[in-house]
Amino acid sequence: DEVQIQAANDYLVGTYDGGVIHLTKGTFNITAAISLSNRVTLEGEGAASIVKKNCNDYAIKAVGTSGTHLTNVSIRDLTVTRDAADTNTKELIHGEYIDLITISAVTFNDSYDDNALTLLYCTNLMFSSNTIVDCDSGGMYLYNSNGIVADNTFYHTKIAAGSARIIQVSNGAGTVISRNTFRDLQQESDLYVIAISNSNDIHVSDNQITDCRGAHIATAEGWGISTDTACANGRILNNRITRLYAFGSTLQAAIRIA
């Protein structure tokens, strides 16, 4: 199905300089990534519009370059998942060098040993009203990227071996993480629910973190919110953290600044 969807993207860009690709309800099986271009929106009809990958690639990607950024890319109102036979270590959605990217009302389901979403060198992200469930390794990774992450739900993440970060932001000055719900997260080693590094002027508020735990090993750590001293002028307020556990002997706490 990716051939037809990719052809629609290319036609819209070539004819109208962008537009909307609409997926009806149903499952769209793909064997190569759908590559979105400038000013293209990929939308479904809700969770019943399913993009299912079975390939050593992402399900959906949008990739610019350092000299030529993409702009105004949108993904909304659909489910992204993988086939049970797909054991390739690839996130479900991947973006690089995008100015203005919107991801909303998307269900990320069952990534394999990787994040649901990775964004590199992207600005003005709006990530809202999404659901991230049963994704290995973590939820989302923002590197040299910034924007708003709000009103999302992360739950029942079946994290593989090693430490994991459900939201990880590195070099993401000005990023806002607000009104998200994290629940029923477990992992085989250290668990960081929100982990922020080298990011000035961050705002973390009104998030709900409950029933999250590190593993039954001697050095397991559990953190609700973790930042480092390279984060200046940040605000962390009105977050509710309950039943956060780590079963090791190293450390467990709601908030860490290191």
Side-chain angles (χ1 to χ4, degrees):
D1 293 326
E2 76 277 0
V3 175
Q4 292 84 357
I5 298 171
Q6 191 63 54
N9 174 92
D10 298 345
Y11 173 78
L12 288 170
V13 172
T15 306
Y16 302 107
D17 198 26
V20 178
I21 304 169
H22 183 82
L23 303 181
T24 60
K25 294 179 181 178
T27 299
F28 298 83
N29 295 296
I30 65 168
T31 57
I34 299 165
S35 183
L36 300 179
S37 302
N38 276 322
R39 292 174 286 280
V40 170
T41 294
L42 179 65
E43 70 170 15
E45 296 181 356
S49 298
I50 301 169
V51 176
K52 180 185 287 186
K53 83 179 195 75
N54 189 1
C55 55
N56 188 20
D57 206 344
Y58 317 109
I60 303 167
K61 67 181 180 181
V63 178
T65 67
S66 60
T68 307
H69 286 215
L70 298 182
T71 187
N72 200 13
V73 176
S74 180
I75 304 166
R76 65 190 185 213
D77 296 309
L78 50 80
T79 293
V80 187
T81 188
R82 67 176 179 92
D83 189 273
D86 184 350
T87 56
N88 296 290
T89 305
K90 293 286 187 179
E91 57 264 36
L92 297 174
I93 297 179
H94 180 90
E96 298 180 25
Y97 296 104
I98 308 168
D99 295 328
L100 188 57
I101 175 171
T102 300
I103 302 174
S104 63
V106 172
T107 297
F108 296 79
N109 184 20
D110 195 25
S111 65
Y112 185 83
D113 199 26
D114 211 329
N115 294 305
L117 169 71
T118 294
L119 296 178
L120 312 175
Y121 304 99
C122 296
T123 58
N124 297 310
L125 165 69
M126 173 56 74
F127 187 84
S128 65
S129 302
N130 301 289
T131 300
I132 297 86
V133 58
D134 284 344
C135 290
D136 286 354
S137 183
M140 60 187 299
Y141 175 45
L142 308 181
Y143 178 75
N144 275 329
S145 301
N146 61 37
I148 297 173
V149 179
D151 301 303
N152 305 287
T153 300
F154 300 76
Y155 74 96
H156 199 244
T157 295
K158 50 177 187 180
I159 302 165
S163 62
R165 290 146 178 82
I166 306 306
I167 293 180
Q168 182 177 5
V169 179
S170 180
N171 299 314
T175 294
V176 174
I177 301 172
S178 184
R179 302 187 306 275
N180 301 286
T181 298
F182 306 84
R183 60 181 175 84
D184 300 321
L185 304 174
Q186 297 188 51
Q187 112 85 15
E188 293 184 11
S189 182
D190 305 331
L191 175 62
Y192 299 73
V193 179
I194 299 173
I196 302 168
S197 61
N198 298 307
S199 302
N200 294 334
D201 302 304
I202 55 122
H203 181 103
V204 182
S205 70
D206 301 294
N207 298 287
Q208 305 286 325
I209 300 172
T210 187
D211 290 321
C212 301
R213 67 196 65 202
H216 296 265
I217 65 173
T219 59
E221 301 181 14
W223 301 101
I225 300 168
S226 175
T227 71
D228 62 21
T229 54
C231 298
N233 303 317
R235 291 184 292 173
I236 300 175
L237 65 159
N238 298 329
N239 299 283
R240 181 176 176 82
I241 303 173
T242 59
R243 296 190 296 277
L244 174 70
Y245 307 103
F247 293 96
S249 59
T250 302
L251 198 51
Q252 52 184 317
I255 298 175
R256 179 181 79 158
I257 299 174

